[in-house]
Amino acid sequence: MILSQQLLTLARYLVGEFDNREQALADPAWYVHLRLWHRRVPLFEEDSVTIFAEQANIVQLDKPYRQRILRLTEGQNAHAPLKAQYYMPKNPSALLGAGCNPDLLNTLTPDQLELLPSCVLDVSQETLVSDSYKFAATPPINTLCSFTYGGSNIQVSLGFESTQDKFMSFDKGIDPITGKATWGAILGPYRYTKREQY
């Protein structure tokens, strides 16, 4: 299957090393200074681009967390022609540090991932200027990412926006009882700047 130019552009925008230094300096009470890695993974290449994501507090780069897999595919919606499907590594600790050490991803196989069926985003594209775009990824209406991890029911409100050199994460952890956000982009998105293109 030939991947669309739209999908390949989104993948290129997403892949790289990012941080939110300016935001963390401007508002340290609400935004931790984070480094974020997005690495391409050689999985599902017949019809998609797959990306490994990991982040770390800038003062604890040796303790990365939130390992996740994002699979970008063509969508079925004319208003959102691309789709982003999330997977969870069955053994996240085996991938610990793969943001800095991508060789850890070379042995990753589909059976080591757990599909998170409700953790999916519709992705739309807006042209900013010639050959420059903004992608916006939002969940389908009335859909909340929900899965079980460590015996607990986890709920996450997902979303992101991406341009050539910026990435905004709207991800928030949701308390399943109160429905209130408990971590993440509670006061607005984390605003990352791309520092290195992979």
Side-chain angles (χ1 to χ4, degrees), residues 9 28 36 46 58 64 77 88 111 123 127 130 158 172 180:
T9 300
L36 172 68
E46 66 280 358
I58 204 77
N77 184 337
M88 180 172 60
D111 63 304
V123 184
T127 301
S130 179
L158 295 171
K172 296 186 290 288
K180 293 184 177 179

Side-chain angles (χ1 to χ4, degrees), residues 117-172:
S118 66
C119 304
V120 62
L121 299 172
D122 292 326
V123 184
S124 61
Q125 175 185 319
E126 174 188 346
T127 301
L128 301 178
V129 294
S130 179
D131 294 326
S132 179
Y133 309 96
K134 180 176 87 170
F135 294 92
T138 56
I141 295 172
N142 299 323
T143 300
L144 187 67
C145 172
S146 180
F147 56 93
T148 301
Y149 180 71
S152 299
N153 179 35
I154 307 294
Q155 292 185 0
V156 183
S157 174
L158 295 171
F160 67 80
E161 290 183 4
S162 183
T163 60
Q164 191 163 356
D165 58 356
K166 303 287 184 185
F167 178 79
M168 292 198 303
S169 172
F170 293 85
D171 294 0
K172 296 186 290 288

